[in-house]
Amino acid sequence: MLVIRPVRPADLPALERLAGSATPRLTNLPAHRDRLEERIARSQRAFAAEVEVPGDEHYTFVLEDLERGEVAGTATIRAQAGAREAYYTYRQETLIHASQQLDVRREVPTLSLSHEVSEATLLCALSMDARYKGTSAESLLRRARLMFIAQYPERFAGILAMAFPGYLDEQGESPFWNSVGRHFFVRDYQEINYLAGVRSKSFIAEVMPQFPLYLALLTPQARAAIGREHPDHEPALTEMLAEGFLRSRHVDIFDAGPVIKGERERLQSFCRAAWHPVRIRPAHALPDAEPAMVANQRLGDFRCVVARYALSPTGQLMLSPEHAERLGVEEGRAVLAAPLALPGMGDGSLDAHDPGYDEGEL
């Protein structure tokens, strides 16, 4: 039995383990005990606060395996990516260089520092125990955050964003960092990535060149890495594209990993979610049905599980006593449910490498 719930102080050792085992290491989930303690405390304050508009709240969740009695994953929502300091990215742009006298016209791709993503809500800091990867648990951890946002829209922005780790070579180095950032920081990628996690990324942007970077001046390896995700994160990117996110023209300032954005109300988990009163029935009596994410409506005691989307003729969601107990709901109480399966997943119609830019980004 797997359940998503808010993080607790007792989860600190599990967060340390998950941060240390993330592949690649995540800037926004540093393996640093003090920072992780701070993350837990910040999350508890966010869940307890009365919020009317999104601000500097960070909501951290964990995936708990109740049978094994262990935390198997974690993920966070930053209500506003740049609430405390600007959230910097590089934006892919094109400059026109032309001369009528020479009859020359060139379209030159560039990267420009941007903080446009600062206003978006950021889904970040996801790490999962390797034993659960490739299972429904991974989708639950990634998308249960959307079930939480759907219930408390006033706490979050209308645009959601996710930044995926970028491509690293066989030595664990970032071709993009080596071609750009290393000229301004005499540190390798792994070291600067850790420092940014312990401090922030803003100090990187303050030292990086403020003028557009002409891609033609970068190494071929660096150019090839722009907008390319780390191979371990390709399935996650494909799933979120199926969810309704689109690639933006923004990439990470460290490794040039892709940043995807989505309008909240157009995402599948929002469009297909519905409220149902609960009817509790023995597990063996439940009809076969497709799996769904099912969430209670308790802010500080938020819970989300995967259960059958079994509806009665009158629209009640039939849950086993075990699922009802894990959600903390009684018969007649309303829960929010959304299908776990996404349109297009597994049929080859989605390509994580297709730019598919949002029309608003063109």
Side-chain angles (χ1 to χ4, degrees):
M1 179 73 73
L2 302 175
V3 62
I4 301 292
R5 60 165 175 78
V7 71
R8 303 168 182 160
D11 299 323
L12 178 59
L15 259 60
E16 287 184 289
R17 172 175 51 82
L18 291 166
S21 63
T23 305
R25 294 297 179 92
L26 302 178
T27 306
N28 47 34
L29 188 66
H32 187 286
R33 189 177 185 87
D34 290 345
R35 292 294 172 268
L36 293 174
E37 283 184 326
E38 180 182 311
R39 177 183 297 267
I40 294 171
R42 170 178 280 189
S43 179
Q44 291 187 302
R45 291 195 299 269
F47 279 102
E50 294 186 7
V51 177
E52 296 182 357
V53 294
D56 193 31
E57 299 84 27
H58 289 203
Y59 304 87
T60 296
F61 302 85
V62 296
L63 171 71
E64 184 177 9
D65 186 328
L66 298 171
E67 292 182 1
R68 292 180 172 175
E70 64 181 20
V71 168
T74 183
T76 294
I77 309 171
R78 288 172 60 176
Q80 190 178 65
R84 177 175 294 185
E85 55 193 10
Y87 182 84
Y88 285 98
T89 61
Y90 273 124
R91 180 183 168 93
Q92 301 178 73
E93 299 175 348
T94 301
L95 295 181
I96 305 298
H97 288 249
S99 170
Q100 289 184 346
Q101 291 181 334
L102 299 177
D103 192 25
V104 171
R105 184 184 185 279
R106 285 291 187 90
E107 295 185 359
V108 182
T110 65
L111 293 176
S112 297
L113 273 179
S114 169
H115 48 73
E116 294 174 23
V117 183
S118 294
E119 298 300 315
T121 287
L122 191 67
L123 306 181
C124 60
L126 188 149
S127 180
M128 170 169 278
D129 189 304
R131 292 172 296 175
Y132 297 82
K133 290 184 178 180
T135 70
S136 61
E138 193 168 14
S139 292
L140 176 64
L141 176 61
R142 188 175 297 118
R143 294 168 52 216
R145 293 173 292 183
L146 301 179
M147 300 290 281
F148 183 78
I149 294 171
Q151 295 193 47
Y152 306 100
E154 72 281 0
R155 292 175 174 260
F156 305 100
I159 299 295
L160 309 183
M162 295 181 71
F164 283 85
Y167 172 78
L168 304 181
D169 62 22
E170 295 179 354
Q171 289 72 44
E173 289 293 321
S174 165
F176 182 79
W177 175 259
N178 288 339
S179 186
V180 179
R182 196 177 182 91
H183 295 295
F184 302 90
F185 295 85
V186 189
R187 300 174 186 269
D188 63 26
Y189 171 76
Q190 298 296 347
E191 183 179 5
I192 204 72
N193 194 43
Y194 176 76
L195 288 174
V198 173
R199 300 176 187 174
S200 74
K201 283 189 176 181
S202 64
F203 80 92
I204 303 294
E206 292 166 358
V207 179
M208 296 288 269
Q210 301 299 306
F211 301 102
L213 299 176
Y214 285 70
L215 268 58
L217 302 180
L218 304 184
T219 64
Q221 294 84 356
R223 293 198 299 271
I226 295 172
R228 182 179 176 186
E229 72 281 0
H230 190 282
D232 287 355
H233 291 258
E234 184 175 333
L237 177 56
T238 300
E239 180 176 39
M240 298 316 285
L241 293 178
E243 176 68 59
F245 284 85
L246 294 171
R247 284 182 179 267
S248 72
R249 293 192 177 275
H250 296 268
V251 297
D252 186 80
I253 61 173
F254 281 172
D255 54 26
V259 176
I260 61 174
K261 295 165 68 176
E263 295 181 34
R264 190 172 67 193
E265 304 306 325
R266 296 175 65 178
L267 299 179
Q268 291 291 328
S269 293
F270 288 81
C271 296
R272 304 167 74 198
W275 289 98
H276 300 281
V278 169
R279 175 184 289 181
I280 300 175
R281 291 291 181 268
H284 69 270
L286 297 180
D288 289 335
E290 294 297 317
M293 296 181 293
V294 182
N296 66 10
Q297 51 179 327
R298 299 166 64 183
L299 175 64
D301 291 318
F302 176 79
R303 299 290 186 274
C304 188
V305 302
V306 173
R308 298 180 193 176
Y309 208 156
L311 296 179
S312 71
T314 55
Q316 295 171 305
L317 183 65
M318 292 181 279
L319 292 177
S320 68
E322 293 77 17
H323 279 120
E325 180 183 357
R326 299 312 175 196
L327 289 167
V329 296
E330 301 172 351
E331 186 149 319
R333 179 71 67 177
V335 293
L336 185 66
L340 185 65
L342 288 168
M345 283 294 291
D347 63 6
S349 63
L350 291 167
D351 182 2
H353 302 290
D354 179 7
Y357 292 125
D358 183 351
E359 58 270 20
E361 291 279 343
L362 297 178

